[in-house]
mmCIF file of all heavy atoms in Angstrom:
data_model
loop_
_atom_site.group_PDB
_atom_site.id
_atom_site.type_symbol
_atom_site.label_atom_id
_atom_site.label_comp_id
_atom_site.label_asym_id
_atom_site.label_seq_id
_atom_site.Cartn_x
_atom_site.Cartn_y
_atom_site.Cartn_z
ATOM 1 N N MET L 1 19.047 59.960 149.880
ATOM 2 C CA MET L 1 17.678 60.348 150.281
ATOM 3 C C MET L 1 16.878 59.090 150.600
ATOM 4 O O MET L 1 16.803 58.171 149.811
ATOM 5 C CB MET L 1 17.052 61.096 149.106
ATOM 6 C CG MET L 1 15.675 61.597 149.421
ATOM 7 S SD MET L 1 15.123 62.748 148.170
ATOM 8 C CE MET L 1 13.506 62.117 147.817
ATOM 9 N N SER L 52 -17.551 23.002 152.261
ATOM 10 C CA SER L 52 -16.837 24.160 151.733
ATOM 11 C C SER L 52 -15.447 23.773 151.271
ATOM 12 O O SER L 52 -15.002 24.191 150.200
ATOM 13 C CB SER L 52 -16.728 25.253 152.791
ATOM 14 O OG SER L 52 -17.804 26.134 152.713
ATOM 15 N N THR L 129 -24.161 18.999 144.668
ATOM 16 C CA THR L 129 -22.816 19.433 145.059
ATOM 17 C C THR L 129 -22.019 19.817 143.812
ATOM 18 O O THR L 129 -21.236 20.776 143.842
ATOM 19 C CB THR L 129 -22.100 18.308 145.820
ATOM 20 O OG1 THR L 129 -22.956 17.829 146.834
ATOM 21 C CG2 THR L 129 -20.815 18.804 146.448
ATOM 22 N N LEU L 146 -6.367 35.566 135.029
ATOM 23 C CA LEU L 146 -5.725 36.880 135.029
ATOM 24 C C LEU L 146 -4.294 36.796 135.530
ATOM 25 O O LEU L 146 -3.372 37.307 134.896
ATOM 26 C CB LEU L 146 -6.486 37.843 135.946
ATOM 27 C CG LEU L 146 -7.645 38.625 135.356
ATOM 28 C CD1 LEU L 146 -8.230 39.532 136.412
ATOM 29 C CD2 LEU L 146 -7.163 39.454 134.166
ATOM 30 N N GLU L 158 12.595 34.007 125.008
ATOM 31 C CA GLU L 158 13.834 33.352 124.609
ATOM 32 C C GLU L 158 14.008 32.001 125.300
ATOM 33 O O GLU L 158 14.648 31.105 124.771
ATOM 34 C CB GLU L 158 15.047 34.257 124.849
ATOM 35 C CG GLU L 158 15.997 34.209 123.667
ATOM 36 C CD GLU L 158 17.181 35.144 123.755
ATOM 37 O OE1 GLU L 158 17.135 36.125 124.513
ATOM 38 O OE2 GLU L 158 18.178 34.870 123.069
ATOM 39 N N PRO L 184 5.175 30.626 140.763
ATOM 40 C CA PRO L 184 4.633 31.546 141.767
ATOM 41 C C PRO L 184 3.315 32.181 141.333
ATOM 42 O O PRO L 184 2.389 32.302 142.143
ATOM 43 C CB PRO L 184 5.722 32.628 141.901
ATOM 44 C CG PRO L 184 6.960 31.997 141.415
ATOM 45 C CD PRO L 184 6.547 31.017 140.378
ATOM 46 N N ILE L 186 1.165 30.888 139.268
ATOM 47 C CA ILE L 186 0.141 29.843 139.281
ATOM 48 C C ILE L 186 -0.352 29.634 140.706
ATOM 49 O O ILE L 186 -1.557 29.530 140.959
ATOM 50 C CB ILE L 186 0.681 28.519 138.703
ATOM 51 C CG1 ILE L 186 0.994 28.685 137.216
ATOM 52 C CG2 ILE L 186 -0.314 27.396 138.923
ATOM 53 C CD1 ILE L 186 1.544 27.455 136.548
ATOM 54 N N ALA L 250 0.775 31.518 155.059
ATOM 55 C CA ALA L 250 1.632 30.373 154.770
ATOM 56 C C ALA L 250 2.248 30.468 153.382
ATOM 57 O O ALA L 250 3.402 30.104 153.178
ATOM 58 C CB ALA L 250 0.829 29.079 154.889
#
Side-chain angles (χ1 to χ4, degrees):
Chain L
M1 183 168 132
S52 269
T129 310
L146 272 181
E158 224 176 339
I186 294 179

